[in-house]
Amino acid sequence: MSRPGVVIAGRLLLGLGLVLLWTLLHRVLGDHTIAGLGDIAVRLWEIAQNGVLLRDIGVTMLEAGAGLAVGGLAGFALPFLITRVPGFEAALRPFIAAAMGVPKLALAPLLILWFGIGLLSKVVFVALVVFFLLFFSTLAGIRGADPRLIAVARVLGLRELMLLREVMLPSTLPFVFASLKVALPRAISAAVVGEFIAADTGLGSYIQNAMSQADTVGVFTGVIVVTVLVVVVNAVLDHTQKRAMGWRHSAIGGF
């Protein structure tokens, strides 16, 4: 069997094992502890039919996507700006590290107080969560750039924009994609947590309402939907990374 076939077979077996384990736990612990997969499937069909599923997925993904765009772009761009000024990055580093240490969940009520219970407070919360992941990864990528390659590029007369595009960006891309593998699930989770605290739509709001009604099926349904979203987003990111980093594999193979 080819390697892709082994991977697919392994995933199918693992998935089947998880289904069997879930079914066993449901029978042993009961409906109030572990919802049955059949009941979850029925609930999924119901909320898909009445439009609640697509509405809540859309709201949560909009919050996560907008927050990731704002926080991710800021975290990606700021290292390039501060490293342009000698000593500025070293002076700023402890303050950014201190800001990273602030528990973001503790800020959520304040963000809702400042920005309301609508979209903006969730976007800001997600942006704060993902900013530091992209910032420190991009900074590590900039530091990891080969100084000899930079020196040669300057000797060849590359201007700053060309140096950024041809040398610095390729150096940081592996670090950025590695941080995105963590930032994307965190962005979705942060949006859901923000909806836990104050929201009337979104997957977090759906799970919170189910919890308040002791609706185990609803809670597990919401959790499974969030998990599937994370898996799908990671698969899309893997595909994007392979395409964006294709030059790297080609260069290694050609060498």
Side-chain angles (χ1 to χ4, degrees), residues 6-106:
V6 172
V7 172
I8 293 173
R11 289 176 177 175
L12 290 175
L13 288 173
L14 180 59
L16 179 61
L18 290 174
V19 169
L20 292 175
L21 177 61
W22 189 304
T23 303
L24 177 62
L25 291 174
H26 167 64
R27 291 180 177 179
V28 172
L29 300 177
D31 292 333
H32 294 293
T33 304
I34 303 290
L37 290 175
D39 295 331
I40 294 172
V42 171
R43 180 65 60 85
L44 277 171
W45 176 255
E46 290 175 352
I47 60 178
Q49 287 292 101
N50 60 25
V52 171
L53 179 62
L54 287 180
R55 181 202 66 189
D56 287 348
I57 288 176
V59 170
T60 299
M61 293 305 292
L62 176 61
E63 295 165 352
L68 180 66
V70 174
L73 286 175
F76 176 73
L78 187 58
F80 288 100
L81 296 177
I82 64 176
T83 51
R84 296 289 301 143
V85 181
F88 186 51
E89 180 264 325
L92 192 62
R93 193 186 313 152
F95 295 97
I96 294 180
M100 183 180 181
V102 175
K104 307 302 178 295
L105 187 59

Side-chain angles (χ1 to χ4, degrees), residues 188-201:
I188 297 174
S189 299
V192 171
V193 169
E195 292 165 353
F196 280 162
I197 298 173
D200 52 8
T201 54

Side-chain angles (χ1 to χ4, degrees), residues 210-253:
M211 290 175 60
S212 65
Q213 299 170 21
D215 180 8
T216 308
V217 175
V219 172
F220 276 97
T221 300
V223 171
I224 287 177
V225 171
V226 172
T227 304
V228 170
L229 282 178
V230 170
V231 171
V232 171
V233 167
N234 273 331
V236 172
L237 180 61
D238 284 338
H239 178 71
T240 304
Q241 181 178 6
K242 289 178 182 178
R243 297 195 62 176
M245 301 294 294
W247 61 270
R248 189 181 182 91
H249 299 298
S250 298
I252 293 173

